[in-house]
Amino acid sequence: MYIRKKIQIIFMSVVLVSFIFFYSYSGNTNDPYSIHTEKYYASVSSRWYNYSGSDEIYLNGPAISMDNPKLIARIKERFLLPPSSRTEPYELKFPHLNDTSMGQAQKVFNILGNKTEGFFVECGALDGETRSNTLYFERHLNWSGLLVEADPLNFAMMEMKKRKAYLSPSCLSIKPYPIMVSFKQAFNVGKISDFKPGYKGIGYVDVQCFPLYSYLLALNRTTVDYFSLDVEGSELEVLNTIPFEKLDIRTMSVEFVHVKKGKDFLREFVERRGYVLHSEVVHENNLANDFIFVKSPRLV
């Protein structure tokens, strides 16, 4: 009996020590977003997501048109980070991976052929590498472009990748004018939340959003060879803000799985804007659920 009791005490002690070690090693706290207190995250947040004392509050709302000169100037000044130099090496986690997308890049390549020096827009861009739909074109075909990412933690990681494209710490507006939103941070499934700006819940952050057309005016661009849109359910609202008659967007990949009105409604909406459904890209574990659209030959 004494020996059995001693063995039980030793066993429980080992379990307790193991638990304490794991808990301490994992950095677990009551805050599942404790990583957000890291120094680099705090630096990015204070530089790009701090709107106190700024003019953003006065450049939001229905009264501010997409082509408002002050708005365009503000985007240029504050919300566009220039591309890294072509001579500066990438800082990629998997540099030998030829295509980081889940098949979208190959579909667009098949449509556009071996096109070099094209221009892309990708939103959400995540960390600039993980399942990026545009990195292949940038690395291998000398494309440039714009990467839009709302989550400060993702943006901090993307900034370190040394992408050769403009980076924007913001989000695409779901209205035809600039707005501020409360954004739910969750790595690859972060999205605009239903809370109003100013919400202080753990893992939520206020983010400035602009219409796609405003970004392109700030970049002096009207032609986009490839537009990648993956914003966890707000795709239809974003597309509805785009003045397609003023832009030449040649191909698009649009995630459909989270669109509330369904994939058929989304497809028909885009087709009415002058596009033809080329194909679908579907991957297990919901890593891809995208339509690939190409601009109708009648409109090219």
Side-chain angles (χ1 to χ4, degrees):
M1 180 69 74
Y2 172 79
I3 295 175
R4 181 182 297 176
K5 184 79 169 179
K6 191 169 184 179
I7 291 174
Q8 288 176 338
I9 292 173
I10 292 173
F11 175 76
M12 292 303 297
S13 298
V14 170
V15 171
L16 180 60
V17 169
S18 298
F19 174 77
I20 292 172
F21 173 79
F22 173 77
Y23 188 88
S24 301
Y25 178 77
S26 65
N28 189 23
T29 68
N30 290 329
D31 180 3
Y33 292 89
S34 58
I35 190 173
H36 292 181
T37 62
E38 294 287 342
K39 184 180 294 185
Y40 72 93
Y41 170 82
S43 173
V44 166
S45 294
S46 63
R47 276 187 297 156
W48 307 119
Y49 296 83
N50 179 14
Y51 308 114
S52 60
S54 69
D55 294 333
E56 271 68 57
I57 190 172
Y58 305 109
L59 288 174
N60 283 317
I64 307 298
S65 65
M66 290 187 282
D67 59 355
N68 182 289
K70 290 185 178 180
L71 174 65
I72 305 308
R74 189 60 172 162
I75 294 173
K76 289 181 181 180
E77 172 192 330
R78 179 178 166 89
F79 292 96
L80 288 176
L81 281 68
S84 295
S85 169
R86 287 280 175 183
T87 61
E88 190 172 10
Y90 285 98
E91 296 289 342
L92 302 175
K93 188 174 182 180
F94 301 104
H96 301 299
L97 185 59
N98 189 50
D99 180 7
T100 53
S101 79
M102 294 291 101
Q104 296 92 332
Q106 184 61 55
K107 295 288 187 182
V108 173
F109 178 86
N110 293 341
I111 295 169
L112 298 178
N114 201 33
K115 179 177 176 55
T116 59
E117 299 183 351
F119 185 85
F120 60 75
V121 175
E122 183 169 12
C123 182
L126 201 58
D127 63 3
E129 178 181 4
T130 304
R131 295 190 289 281
S132 172
N133 291 339
T134 60
L135 184 55
Y136 174 84
F137 299 102
E138 183 182 302
R139 293 181 71 191
H140 302 291
L141 295 173
N142 203 39
W143 283 35
S144 60
L146 169 65
L147 300 167
V148 181
E149 176 53 45
D151 188 327
L153 185 57
N154 291 343
F155 189 84
M157 293 186 284
M158 181 168 67
E159 196 176 5
M160 293 188 286
K161 303 290 184 180
K162 307 300 181 185
R163 290 287 303 260
K164 318 310 176 193
Y166 285 92
L167 312 182
S168 185
S170 58
C171 66
L172 291 183
S173 181
I174 56 176
K175 302 290 184 181
Y177 47 82
I179 60 172
M180 191 81 72
V181 301
S182 174
F183 189 85
K184 177 70 172 78
Q185 299 175 263
F187 189 53
N188 65 312
V189 291
K191 61 182 181 179
I192 294 175
S193 78
D194 294 328
F195 292 107
K196 293 182 179 180
Y199 179 67
K200 302 300 183 183
I202 293 173
Y204 290 82
V205 61
D206 286 354
V207 178
Q208 177 64 53
C209 306
F210 304 104
L212 175 64
Y213 187 54
S214 301
Y215 291 101
L216 294 175
L217 289 179
L219 291 169
N220 196 28
R221 286 272 182 179
T222 56
T223 297
V224 177
D225 295 291
Y226 173 36
F227 176 34
S228 172
L229 182 61
D230 181 350
V231 288
E232 302 303 310
S234 296
E235 288 81 5
L236 191 59
E237 289 83 353
V238 168
L239 291 169
N240 199 34
T241 72
I242 299 175
F244 285 98
E245 72 281 1
K246 296 180 180 180
L247 299 171
D248 182 12
I249 303 176
R250 295 175 177 174
T251 63
M252 295 190 292
S253 62
V254 183
E255 188 181 49
F256 56 73
V257 70
H258 301 296
V259 173
K260 293 179 181 178
K261 292 189 176 182
K263 61 183 292 188
D264 290 337
F265 187 94
L266 174 65
R267 174 182 54 79
E268 292 169 3
F269 177 91
V270 177
E271 288 175 342
R272 288 197 299 272
R273 269 67 184 172
Y275 287 81
V276 176
L277 178 62
H278 175 273
S279 53
E280 291 186 25
V281 177
V282 179
H283 196 280
E284 60 183 355
N285 298 323
N286 278 339
L287 295 181
N289 290 281
D290 291 20
F291 283 135
I292 306 295
F293 293 103
V294 60
K295 194 171 185 179
S296 171
R298 302 190 306 272
L299 301 176
V300 174

